[in-house]
Amino acid sequence: MRRLFRWLSDRLNLGPLLHHLLDEPIPGGASWIYVFGSVTLFLFVQQAVTGTFLAFYYAPTPDHAYDSIKFIQQGVPFGALIRGIHHWGASAMMIAIGLHMLQVYLYGAYKPPREPMWLVGVFLLILTLTFGFTGYLLPWDQTAYWATQVGINIIGTVPWIGGALAKIARVGSDLNALTLSRFFALHTLILPWLIVALIAAHLFILRRVGAAGPWEEARAERFSEPFYPKQVFIDAVAMGAVFLGVAGAALLSPAPLTDRANPADATFRPVPEWYFLFFYQLLKYTKGAWETAATFVLPLLFFGLLFALPFLGRNRERAPARRPIAIGIGALFLVFVFTLLGTALKQTAAIPVTDPAVERGRALYAKLGCAGCHRIHGVGAEVGPDLSYVGDQRDRAWLIAHFKDPQKMSPGSIMPAFHLPEPELEDLTAYMLSLKKG
Ligand code: HEC
């Protein structure tokens, strides 16, 4: 390895390049507080890699999108894991960006001469949120469809041009095949190039201006150490831990997939991703003109303030103790967002979650007259066995085989065979499996 590297290095003159990359001075020395930028970058790369794998199997049309995701979940080796990492990775990236911005805010690292880096950073935040919004539609399940509908309606409330913007996003007056291709193209072709360009600009500026280091300028000037080895090691450990965390989440809790999108079923109550949830909650409290204020003026004000931040005030101090206004406003903002998020989460948790497939199965059970022979919790006849806890006794494969041919599974059975279409068979089985003790 070492000889190969030396051989290459001799020919490509890598020495000065490596020296330039690794010897960047870190004022005040390496620290764990600086990992969030690297972790965000790592998560972006992870999204790009897992997203590319998903694109091998994903079909961006309303007829096939849902089935292709189902196939990724059930038929592709490691498909569920890769999709899980992509799903949880998106959330992790939001958290990493949030922490990165908090650190920069707290350390006053956006102040001159680092305004350009901050401005590019705010664009990166907007791009990441757009990634989240466009990616959410792609599975074309009920949540995707109705949450995107809500999102586009919010765009529609922008004064004067809202209607036109919403039409452009939808490519028409309803979500349709072109909406899906448009979101897919944005998510996989346009946004990636934009974000790579801006990440490059962000890093380029960082290397030109230099890292900010601790807020006590004196300490930053007294001592600095090169990026390699200590900060590289710290960053690598943080990235490894984040990868394990995201992969663990993907294994323990697979990425959700609700029912296939049904444009006719407007009763479905979508819940947006958690990072849009506080905003969604805010809209619940507003009506009429206030709603426009919340959907349009507030975001405009928020991003306007973010962009203007490095140019506001003349206080060049970076220590939080000497920036009471900035720190106070930041703290109030966090309290505001987390109160809304907490309320929203509490309200969502209070909605009982019933799998819609189970509900449809229950309706089928009634329609097909199963109660003429079976009893569930005291209701129905006793010709066949009591099904109150059949979910504990039988598995999916047995139940489906039994519905198709009861005599084969239970010789001599008098239960008639039910020749149902595959989806109905699935629903009925889902209902049977939900019948469990406890
Ligand atoms: C004509 C009466 C009759 C009807 C109608 C009927 N069953 Fe059955 N079912 C039976 C009998 C008898 C058995 C026991 C023998 C066997 O396992 O096939 C049985 C067994 C079952 C079992 C297996 C229970 C176990 O754990 O062994 C399930 C599940 C079941 N039925 C579900 C249904 C559902 C759902 C329907 C409606 C779509 C239905 N049955 C309609 C008579 C009936």
Side-chain angles (χ1 to χ4, degrees):
M1 245 354 243
R2 183 158 283 201
R3 275 180 51 203
L4 176 67
F5 178 76
R6 185 150 323 136
W7 182 84
L8 254 185
S9 171
D10 283 346
R11 274 143 196 87
L12 305 180
N13 192 18
L14 294 179
L17 184 68
L18 274 181
H19 175 76
H20 182 72
L21 282 179
L22 297 177
D23 292 349
E24 166 81 2
I26 312 252
S31 164
W32 285 95
I33 194 85
Y34 303 144
V35 299
F36 303 118
S38 316
V39 164
T40 309
L41 180 59
F42 167 77
L43 285 166
F44 167 69
V45 173
Q46 185 177 276
Q47 290 304 91
V49 172
T50 49
T52 305
F53 277 114
L54 292 175
F56 280 138
Y57 295 96
Y58 175 73
T61 67
D63 286 345
H64 300 294
Y66 184 79
D67 292 316
S68 64
I69 297 284
K70 239 195 172 153
F71 179 63
I72 288 171
Q73 293 283 125
Q74 294 167 358
V76 179
F78 302 108
L81 178 66
I82 301 274
R83 177 165 176 254
I85 292 180
H86 199 71
H87 173 83
W88 292 114
S91 286
M93 199 167 156
M94 294 299 170
I95 297 175
I97 290 189
L99 292 174
H100 181 49
M101 291 182 78
L102 271 184
Q103 189 261 324
V104 169
Y105 190 83
L106 188 70
Y107 276 58
Y110 54 84
K111 297 203 166 203
R114 294 188 180 75
E115 313 96 307
M117 201 171 8
W118 173 265
L119 292 181
V120 173
V122 179
F123 276 116
L124 282 169
L125 170 69
I126 294 174
L127 280 182
T128 310
L129 290 171
T130 317
F131 259 115
F133 183 64
T134 50
Y136 208 51
L137 179 67
L138 302 185
W140 203 253
D141 61 349
Q142 281 283 71
T143 323
Y145 187 92
W146 293 104
T148 304
Q149 193 84 279
V150 172
I152 294 184
N153 287 346
I154 290 176
I155 299 177
T157 61
V158 173
W160 305 300
I161 52 168
L165 286 180
K167 237 183 199 148
I168 293 173
R170 275 196 219 104
V171 206
S173 49
D174 266 311
L175 295 188
N176 58 68
L178 288 177
T179 328
L180 186 55
S181 349
R182 183 159 292 189
F183 274 49
F184 180 66
L186 274 171
H187 192 79
T188 60
L189 298 171
I190 297 171
L191 293 174
W193 286 110
L194 277 179
I195 203 167
V196 164
L198 286 189
I199 290 172
H202 203 60
L203 294 178
F204 175 77
I205 300 170
L206 169 70
R207 295 306 299 264
R208 299 310 299 165
V209 194
W215 58 65
E216 305 101 342
E217 304 277 346
R219 208 180 105 211
E221 272 157 32
R222 217 176 326 120
F223 168 69
S224 91
E225 73 181 314
F227 181 56
Y228 181 83
K230 213 166 151 199
Q231 190 67 48
V232 171
F233 174 76
I234 289 177
D235 284 354
V237 170
M239 292 178 195
V242 165
F243 172 74
L244 289 181
V246 172
L251 284 174
L252 292 178
S253 166
L257 186 65
T258 51
D259 273 327
R260 187 188 304 271
N262 177 6
D265 175 14
T267 59
F268 188 82
R269 290 215 289 157
V271 178
E273 273 291 52
W274 62 266
Y275 42 84
F276 289 124
L277 207 53
F278 79 95
F279 187 56
Y280 185 79
Q281 186 69 17
L282 185 66
L283 298 186
K284 281 192 190 164
Y285 301 130
T286 51
K287 286 256 141 45
W290 283 106
E291 185 158 20
T292 315
T295 54
F296 175 64
V297 182
L298 219 57
L300 201 70
L301 205 69
F302 172 71
F303 284 106
L305 271 178
L306 273 189
F307 278 120
L309 180 67
F311 310 101
L312 297 174
R314 261 181 294 276
N315 183 354
R316 287 287 182 107
E317 290 285 354
R318 285 180 45 214
R322 271 165 264 145
R323 297 160 50 221
I325 300 177
I327 298 298
I329 292 177
L332 271 181
F333 174 75
L334 288 184
V335 170
F336 175 70
V337 166
F338 279 97
T339 312
L340 282 173
L341 180 62
T343 323
L345 287 177
K346 226 187 267 159
Q347 288 179 4
T348 341
I351 304 172
V353 272
T354 43
D355 183 349
V358 170
E359 284 309 312
R360 286 191 307 262
R362 194 196 305 275
L364 269 175
Y365 181 88
K367 195 179 105 189
L368 296 170
C370 313
C373 292
H374 289 287
R375 174 165 290 212
I376 294 178
H377 298 308
V379 180
E382 281 178 299
V383 181
D386 188 307
L387 297 179
S388 301
Y389 303 111
V390 67
D392 289 325
Q393 289 145 14
R394 304 291 184 189
D395 63 12
R396 186 173 160 276
W398 190 92
L399 286 166
I400 290 190
H402 181 258
F403 284 134
K404 287 186 174 158
D405 189 354
Q407 283 75 32
K408 191 172 136 214
M409 302 309 283
S410 310
S413 171
I414 57 154
M415 173 161 149
F418 286 90
H419 301 287
L420 298 170
E422 208 56 44
E424 297 200 347
L425 212 53
E426 291 283 346
D427 292 345
L428 199 58
T429 306
Y431 174 51
M432 293 289 110
L433 289 174
S434 75
L435 297 169
K436 284 180 186 241
K437 282 205 181 77

